[in-house]
Amino acid sequence: MGACQSFREMCDREKNTNVHLSLPAVCIVWQTAMIILFGVFMRYDHESDAHWVEHRKHSNLTDIENDFYFRYPSFQDVHVMIFVGFGFLMTFLKRYSFGGVGFNFLIAAFGLQWALLMQGWFHWLDADGKIRIGIENLINADFCVAGCLIAYGALLGKVSPVQLMVLTLFGITLFAVEEFIIISVIHARDAGGSMVIHTFGGYYGLSVSWMLYRPNLHQSSRLQGSVYHSDVFAMIGTLFLWMFWPSFNSAICDHGDGQHRAAINTYLCLASTVLTTVAISSLFQKHGKLDMVHIQNSTLAGGVAAGTAAEFMLMPYGCLIVGFCCGIISTLGYIFLTPFMEKHLKIQDTCGIHNLHAMPGVVGGIVGAITAASASIEVYGHEGLVNTFDFMDKFKDMVPTTQGGHQAAGLCVALCFGIGGGIIVGAILRLPIWGDPADDNCFDDETYWEVPEEEESIPTILQYNNHVQNKDIAESNFTMESESRARS
């Protein structure tokens, strides 16, 4: 702790938020690098290549059996979640809506390109050294980006766009490595990403935030809050995420019963979470009033926790129990844990990602481990057990109890990569070269955006009508005075 404090003090000096050269340079150079790398490595897979016609005839297939028609509806839903859901959820700050939705757009657009490459090198590199890209690659790239957007939630309003690009570059790299270890090496199942996406992204962002701790952030406290219309915009993001989360958790499941079951499980978890969130929010607020922060965020925690066990036989009542518990844990986290972490652990979590993503992600990992360990042939059937847990090839002799241990190991890997990687990346982002704002200049769009001037006053219809009536009265009086003078 002492070494970290000394490092912070060494890096703290007068801030210069001018990114006139650094931001264009980073964007142009990195996009040029993407073009070169895509030219060298990226090719269409057999289902998106023009040779599909020949492959289709040779394999006696029809166009409707192309994976595009199975996966694209889910991809579309996930894509909306990434750009609209996450983006609008971050518009709750009264003076940081441009930064919330705009920088979300920037992170996602760069991150998905880098994710296609990183995940391709680990999972889809063929014998020719080429990455074959199809619709499932696009879904997985969006998943990868989600981890970085979650991390951004902890840093919202406190970092520069250049820092966010660096955060994304390292975040995508770490994600690809931990995902490969968890899914391919350890052989854990995590269809909806409770461990791989939410646990990693949550603790990655929290660790970076700890390294970037601002002791004088209270100087910007006047802007660290919402207003009526900003909360309404954020609620739009919540509703998009809530509606499409079943697609998120089922997008890459096996066609058939696995995908079907994942959508049902997530649907029920989300519904249960809403009621318990409302209950706890009302219970702990003065006069039983609801806090919009809880409704915007904690109502989504059930979808996070359902991710790992989404395709397992969790049973409908089990889904309701998971959602019930997550609503309580997440809402209490906003009420008690977030202030505690800022005061005692020096972790400033702008969006409360610890309560929405990190803790529910851990809960999801635990639920997945327990559900996997208790799986049986009586519940799944032999073929169902093999198909659900992919007990094939070198894992054909694995039993459910062992699989439960592998699930727990996967959760530990996600935690280690999130915390360890976040500390390292946070140390890099602490360097005084990235154009981040001063402590008294955070949460304000004017630092990095051209913000239109606000009109001093906008006349209401009532004011306009009064103005017209007064004008009519004045004209009437003027006419009467003129006639009076004419008579005299």
Side-chain angles (χ1 to χ4, degrees):
M1 292 289 286
C4 289
Q5 183 63 30
S6 300
F7 178 76
R8 291 191 185 113
E9 292 173 356
M10 179 186 73
C11 292
D12 285 341
R13 66 185 189 190
E14 188 176 350
K15 304 288 186 181
N16 179 8
T17 58
N18 189 340
V19 291
H20 177 68
L21 294 177
S22 58
L23 181 58
V26 167
C27 290
I28 295 299
V29 170
W30 289 6
Q31 187 58 62
T32 303
M34 292 298 106
I35 293 170
I36 295 170
L37 290 171
F38 268 62
V40 173
F41 291 101
M42 201 69 68
R43 299 292 184 271
Y44 298 118
D45 71 1
H46 71 281
E47 291 186 308
S48 54
D49 192 271
H51 291 87
W52 160 254
V53 177
E54 299 169 10
H55 174 78
R56 183 193 66 192
K57 291 179 179 178
H58 182 266
S59 302
N60 196 26
L61 300 172
T62 62
D63 279 332
I64 201 64
E65 292 174 277
N66 190 303
D67 202 37
F68 174 85
Y69 296 100
F70 292 102
R71 301 287 185 191
Y72 187 76
S74 295
F75 164 70
Q76 195 172 29
D77 291 350
V78 173
H79 217 46
V80 170
M81 290 179 70
I82 295 299
F83 287 92
V84 179
F86 277 102
F88 274 89
L89 186 62
M90 295 186 190
T91 61
F92 68 95
L93 291 172
K94 64 181 74 173
R95 292 285 297 172
Y96 205 72
S97 295
F98 286 10
V101 74
F103 291 150
N104 182 93
F105 194 11
L106 175 67
I107 291 171
F110 167 63
L112 64 87
Q113 297 176 70
W114 184 228
L116 286 169
L117 286 164
M118 285 299 305
Q119 291 180 312
W121 287 326
F122 278 102
H123 296 285
W124 295 294
L125 203 64
D126 64 13
D128 299 329
K130 304 298 181 184
I131 299 167
R132 302 295 171 176
I133 184 175
I135 189 66
E136 190 170 344
N137 303 67
L138 305 187
I139 297 173
N140 278 291
D142 277 0
F143 283 175
C144 196
V145 165
C148 292
L149 296 180
I150 291 166
Y152 175 40
L155 309 172
L156 186 69
K158 301 177 294 186
V159 290
S160 73
V162 180
Q163 283 178 305
L164 290 175
M165 293 290 281
V166 176
L167 175 88
T168 306
L169 179 72
F170 286 106
I172 296 293
T173 306
L174 288 166
F175 182 99
V177 176
E178 62 107 17
E179 180 192 44
F180 177 75
I181 294 172
I182 291 172
I183 304 299
S184 300
V185 178
I186 295 178
H187 191 258
R189 305 290 285 174
D190 193 21
S194 294
M195 301 182 293
V196 173
I197 299 171
H198 299 284
T199 301
F200 165 76
Y203 286 104
Y204 176 59
L206 292 169
S207 299
V208 172
S209 183
W210 179 66
M211 290 299 297
L212 300 182
Y213 175 70
R214 292 172 174 269
N216 299 312
L217 190 62
H218 62 274
Q219 295 174 1
S220 294
S221 60
R222 69 193 185 283
L223 298 176
Q224 194 177 3
S226 64
V227 290
Y228 191 86
H229 69 268
S230 67
D231 269 334
V232 171
F233 273 110
M235 194 64 197
I236 293 172
T238 298
L239 293 175
F240 268 101
L241 291 169
W242 198 92
M243 289 188 299
F244 290 141
W245 216 296
S247 295
F248 188 94
N249 283 355
S250 64
I252 59 171
C253 293
D254 292 334
H255 299 316
D257 67 291
Q259 199 164 37
H260 195 169
R261 192 164 53 248
I264 293 172
N265 289 346
T266 308
Y267 180 93
L268 294 173
C269 278
L270 286 165
S272 178
T273 304
V274 174
L275 273 70
T276 49
T277 296
V278 170
I280 300 300
S281 180
S282 177
L283 184 65
F284 283 87
Q285 294 301 113
K286 197 175 286 186
H287 307 301
K289 295 183 178 181
L290 300 174
D291 189 332
M292 199 54 158
V293 172
H294 306 155
I295 307 305
Q296 288 165 357
N297 295 279
S298 297
T299 52
L300 302 170
V304 174
T308 296
E311 58 184 335
F312 298 169
M313 294 285 284
L314 191 54
M315 297 302 174
Y317 70 88
C319 301
L320 295 179
I321 293 172
V322 172
F324 183 92
C325 295
C326 280
I328 296 172
I329 293 170
S330 179
T331 310
L332 291 178
Y334 277 100
I335 296 170
F336 298 111
L337 270 183
T338 298
F340 175 85
M341 290 168 63
E342 181 167 353
K343 182 177 180 180
H344 299 287
L345 302 181
K346 310 302 181 186
I347 298 175
Q348 295 158 329
D349 183 5
T350 307
C351 289
I353 65 168
H354 185 248
N355 314 306
L356 172 54
H357 297 283
M359 285 197 300
V362 171
V363 170
I366 294 170
V367 169
I370 294 172
T371 309
S374 60
S376 64
I377 293 178
E378 289 75 16
V379 175
Y380 288 80
H382 177 72
E383 292 298 323
L385 200 65
V386 170
N387 185 62
T388 301
F389 295 101
D390 199 23
F391 290 157
M392 301 173 188
D393 301 327
K394 63 180 180 179
F395 299 104
K396 64 182 179 180
D397 296 323
M398 187 176 287
V399 294
T401 51
T402 306
Q403 180 65 36
H406 284 224
Q407 296 289 143
L411 178 60
C412 293
V413 171
L415 285 167
C416 290
F417 268 80
I419 296 171
I423 291 173
I424 294 170
V425 175
I428 295 171
L429 296 180
R430 188 81 192 188
L431 297 172
I433 59 174
W434 307 114
D436 53 315
D439 288 354
D440 61 350
N441 201 28
C442 294
F443 314 117
D444 194 345
D445 275 330
E446 289 191 359
T447 307
Y448 302 109
W449 295 86
E450 289 287 347
V451 180
E453 294 182 8
E454 295 183 7
E455 296 183 17
E456 291 185 4
S457 62
I458 301 175
T460 63
I461 294 174
L462 182 60
Q463 290 172 329
Y464 176 76
N465 289 338
N466 289 337
H467 171 72
V468 171
Q469 289 173 4
N470 293 335
K471 185 178 179 182
D472 290 342
I473 292 170
E475 289 177 351
S476 177
N477 291 337
F478 177 78
T479 302
M480 291 173 64
E481 288 177 7
S482 300
E483 290 176 351
S484 177
R485 287 173 187 166
R487 286 175 189 155
S488 62

